[in-house]
Amino acid sequence: MKKDQVTITDLARELNVSPSTVSRALNNSPFISVERKKVILELAKKMNYSPNQLALSLLNKRTKILGVVVPEITSYYFSTAINGIQDKVGSSGYKLMISQSNESFEEEIRLMEAMALVRVDGFLISPSSNTLNYDHFEKIKDSGFPLVIFDRDCVGLEADKVVVDDYSGAFQAVEYLIQTGCHRIAHITGSANLSTTQHRRKGYLDALQKNNYPILEDLMVIGDDSSSESGVACMQKLLDLEQIPDAVFCYNDAIAIGAMSVIRERGIEIPDQISLVGFDDEPYSSYFKPSLTSVWQPIYDLGLLSAKILLDNLEIEKDNPNYRFEVLKPELVIRESSRKIV
Amino acid sequence: MKKDQVTITDLARELNVSPSTVSRALNNSPFISVERKKVILELAKKMNYSPNQLALSLLNKRTKILGVVVPEITSYYFSTAINGIQDKVGSSGYKLMISQSNESFEEEIRLMEAMALVRVDGFLISPSSNTLNYDHFEKIKDSGFPLVIFDRDCVGLEADKVVVDDYSGAFQAVEYLIQTGCHRIAHITGSANLSTTQHRRKGYLDALQKNNYPILEDLMVIGDDSSSESGVACMQKLLDLEQIPDAVFCYNDAIAIGAMSVIRERGIEIPDQISLVGFDDEPYSSYFKPSLTSVWQPIYDLGLLSAKILLDNLEIEKDNPNYRFEVLKPELVIRESSRKIV
DNA sequence: TTTGTTTATGCAAACCTTTGCATGATACTA
DNA sequence: TAGTATCATGCAAAGGTTTGCATAAACAAA
């Protein structure tokens, strides 16, 4: 029972003028007499006219809709990024079409294709952990859609990208552990494919190396994913070692929380026996007991900046692509789960 | 540099036929010869044709886009509901336009108006805590948009609604506290305006009353909002009372977590001295120490069902509105933060 | 009066697709 | 052979809007 919307033609018929005249009145064209303009505007208001965006989009070839695909909406991390995107985009008149890929490569493609059909004006994508092939991104680019990749890097893909310096965050965290006297520092990783996983691991390894610490295979456990459950499983492995670690640097807070519960169960003291460090600095992390030392990420800003870049691209319609690669700095937040510098 | 999309006219020109013929070939019309159809379909595939959804939308007066407005995306609660919505909608070909109102009444209106302009096919709305006036909902309904209100009820508004039985959840929780021997049961509320706040409070009060417990004004603290910070502030008030409570039923987990940290700081034992119960059963709640007793809500199902109802409405285009009011049942999840039944 | 200028207006095309109706061609029936 | 049925195709309208171009009217200048 959708009521028909008032159109420009309705107004025209009512006043016995042509639709063009009405259009000119509504668009502040100079080629129209002031009196007529006044009459038309009044009627438009009275009849509650609003232009049909569909017709406009068809004409202008732009929808003022941006497509956003994230691996999952239900994570604090990505929803905060979306928050940043929304805040940036809000005043610009652009709307967001948001979807989650559930870390599925196929779903990511499917979603992007659907959005391309709707003719979104551009894409903001955080690739799934199973996205190892970038053909669909290339295709989107070839079709002329502006594309910004955020959070997770696609090495080799030429596109605007905004990421967090995971390497530096991890390096900081592990150096801090070293400075506080930890000797056997373990690492629980996230999904193997992710650029973030790789960078954090590299930061971990390099910090060890720089400080002449041996790299012990046993102490690096590869998680199935980035969940608390994976943290539980991995931490159990670590505690089953003959010689357990005295510090664990976790890929993220969820894993760290899982790890914390296992450590506690076994009656091991945090941080006296094991220092624990997470990544992401989720809101609850400060409320845990002991509160969690973690690497804070400017994830809201990540969304903000990604959206800004996309909007910039939409404005200038550049021909010679000069891709931006923005790296935001994370910060170590020291709390109770790690020992203090002596 | 958006490349022009291949249109039906391009195909027609290429093959020296009319666009109508091409259209018929693509739409499996019987009024076309098999050979020609084959040729056209082949060319369409070769030239990578895909129909312009904008033109179709203009023609069919439907966009296959649904508008979703939630108070905030960054909460586990609403992002999980969106998850449910997404999963329901996914296969149907509908896309989601998602926005957050940030608990602002004006923003909610603005967002809905913008979505109406884009001609979304329907709305899924969880009203902001400051939405006390429902004129904008009525207006949307009058314009013929199907509308489903979820999670937060708008009393007096005639519309399809899907909510959780907050009353029952609260009642269960408080009765459980009574059964486990608590005598001074406090309640920290959420934002005063919310239907959920009111129902949970009513559940709390009625459970006390039914068990002949006195209702003590001191023990009911009104939170500014539903955050952990508010939980901290409210719990401090409770612990500053001459006679502190021996149980606290919190509006949600965030508040409970804040409260827990204050209780711990003061050296009070949970649950021996104070039993603590939350609401929402957020994923981390089970990892807290002590793990949090909480009321689990079928929030994913809430999203799923809301979307289902909206899709149903879109199919049948009913004239005599027969609004549905669905109430989903929450469940008390007992963990360590509350005493056990003796 | 004629020509030129200014100003306001309408027409029609364009954006892309679908579909009712008309037309033309072919084949079949009487 | 004439008439009819069948089938494939194209035309044009519709959906709502903007805009280049043409036109009409009014008026000023020569």
Side-chain angles (χ1 to χ4, degrees), chain B residues 166-208:
Chain B
D166 290 291
Y167 176 85
S168 141
F171 195 95
Q172 274 178 67
V174 175
E175 275 228 309
Y176 179 77
L177 289 172
I178 292 174
Q179 285 162 14
T180 56
C182 300
H183 290 94
R184 292 179 58 79
I185 302 173
H187 179 37
I188 301 179
T189 78
S191 311
N193 296 330
L194 290 178
S195 66
T196 48
T197 297
Q198 288 153 17
H199 294 151
R200 289 178 203 176
R201 177 171 46 203
K202 184 116 197 330
Y204 160 76
L205 294 173
D206 284 7
L208 293 185

Side-chain angles (χ1 to χ4, degrees), chain B residues 98-311:
Chain B
I98 304 173
S99 269
Q100 58 183 343
S101 63
N102 281 315
E103 303 283 10
S104 153
F105 174 59
E106 290 75 23
E107 187 67 5
E108 181 174 295
I109 295 179
R110 210 184 59 75
L111 290 170
M112 289 184 70
E113 280 174 351
M115 289 174 173
L117 280 185
V118 188
R119 301 290 195 282
V120 295
D121 288 344
F123 285 95
L124 285 159
I125 309 287
S126 185
S128 92
S129 53
N130 296 302
T131 299
L132 306 175
N133 173 307
Y134 310 142
D135 288 352
H136 57 311
F137 295 144
E138 295 287 0
K139 211 166 130 194
I140 280 291
K141 273 175 52 195
D142 286 348
S143 305
F145 288 96
L147 166 68
V148 177
I149 301 285
F150 69 94
D151 184 53
R152 298 173 174 180
D153 194 7
C154 296
V155 182
L157 176 72
E158 301 222 308
D160 288 302
K161 296 172 184 172
V162 185
V163 296
V164 171
D165 191 343
D166 290 291
Y167 176 85
S168 141
F171 195 95
Q172 274 178 67
V174 175
E175 275 228 309
Y176 179 77
L177 289 172
I178 292 174
Q179 285 162 14
T180 56
C182 300
H183 290 94
R184 292 179 58 79
I185 302 173
H187 179 37
I188 301 179
T189 78
S191 311
N193 296 330
L194 290 178
S195 66
T196 48
T197 297
Q198 288 153 17
H199 294 151
R200 289 178 203 176
R201 177 171 46 203
K202 184 116 197 330
Y204 160 76
L205 294 173
D206 284 7
L208 293 185
Q209 206 145 37
K210 183 192 154 207
N211 290 275
N212 297 316
Y213 272 50
I215 285 160
L216 302 171
E217 286 298 328
D218 284 352
L219 293 183
M220 205 168 76
V221 189
I222 317 273
D224 288 339
D225 51 38
S226 316
S227 66
S228 294
E229 288 73 33
S230 170
V232 168
C234 293
M235 193 66 221
Q236 268 157 357
K237 278 191 208 160
L238 285 173
L239 292 186
D240 287 344
L241 291 177
E242 271 185 41
Q243 217 184 336
I244 67 168
D246 61 358
V248 185
F249 166 56
C250 301
Y251 171 78
N252 67 7
D253 282 6
I255 289 176
I257 294 313
M260 186 187 281
S261 75
V262 176
I263 298 174
R264 211 157 34 200
E265 256 170 34
R266 304 242 183 153
I268 299 171
E269 289 295 322
I270 304 174
D272 296 346
Q273 293 173 271
I274 296 185
S275 276
L276 193 63
V277 177
F279 213 107
D280 285 357
D281 193 32
E282 297 213 19
Y284 285 157
S285 299
S286 59
Y287 287 103
F288 274 92
K289 191 71 195 171
S291 57
L292 188 67
T293 293
S294 186
V295 180
W296 171 83
Q297 298 195 63
I299 175 71
Y300 175 86
D301 293 322
L302 187 81
L304 215 61
L305 182 57
S306 307
K308 180 180 177 335
I309 291 179
L310 183 56
L311 292 179

